[in-house]
Amino acid sequence: MNNNGKLEMNCSMTEKVIELHDKGYNYDFLLIDNKILLCMQTNNRFSVKDVMVNAVKKAYDNFSHSYKHIHTIETTNGEKGVLLADSMFN
């Protein structure tokens, strides 16, 4: 619990995502069939071969009770964002 009596959830994961947003990684990506990345805000689709993916951190997700891997995504058209995945993206 924090000082206000509220339960803190996903603190480590949330802090890292906020830090990345502050660094310009403003978009959220979804991995489809391990070969397409979908930008949730623009609906643009990218082949995983055409983007730069970097693993950033592994953090525990209290909602799913599992670890999530946080990745940064940089596309060929300049979109930069975050991918949360169940495993490290290769």
Side-chain angles (χ1 to χ4, degrees):
M1 291 213 176
N2 65 17
N3 292 337
N4 297 325
K6 293 183 180 178
L7 183 63
E8 292 183 20
M9 302 192 77
N10 292 342
C11 186
S12 175
M13 188 167 59
T14 302
E15 286 175 357
K16 184 48 108 177
V17 170
I18 290 170
E19 176 187 322
L20 291 169
H21 283 174
D22 288 344
K23 291 180 178 179
Y25 293 91
N26 296 317
Y27 294 100
D28 300 307
F29 285 87
L30 177 66
L31 182 61
I32 303 170
D33 294 329
N34 285 326
K35 55 186 172 184
I36 300 293
L37 285 163
L38 171 67
C39 179
M40 302 300 286
Q41 287 80 8
T42 65
N43 210 31
N44 289 333
R45 293 172 185 257
F46 303 91
S47 169
V48 295
K49 297 181 284 186
D50 297 332
V51 299
M52 185 167 38
V53 179
N54 292 307
V56 176
K57 182 175 185 160
K58 180 179 175 182
Y60 191 74
D61 178 11
N62 289 314
F63 296 113
S64 67
H65 302 290
S66 63
Y67 282 93
K68 297 293 183 187
H69 294 263
I70 303 170
H71 303 80
T72 57
I73 305 294
E74 294 186 34
T75 70
T76 54
N77 70 351
E79 292 177 3
K80 292 171 47 176
V82 177
L83 168 69
L84 299 178
D86 292 331
S87 59
M88 179 132 14
F89 185 78
N90 299 349

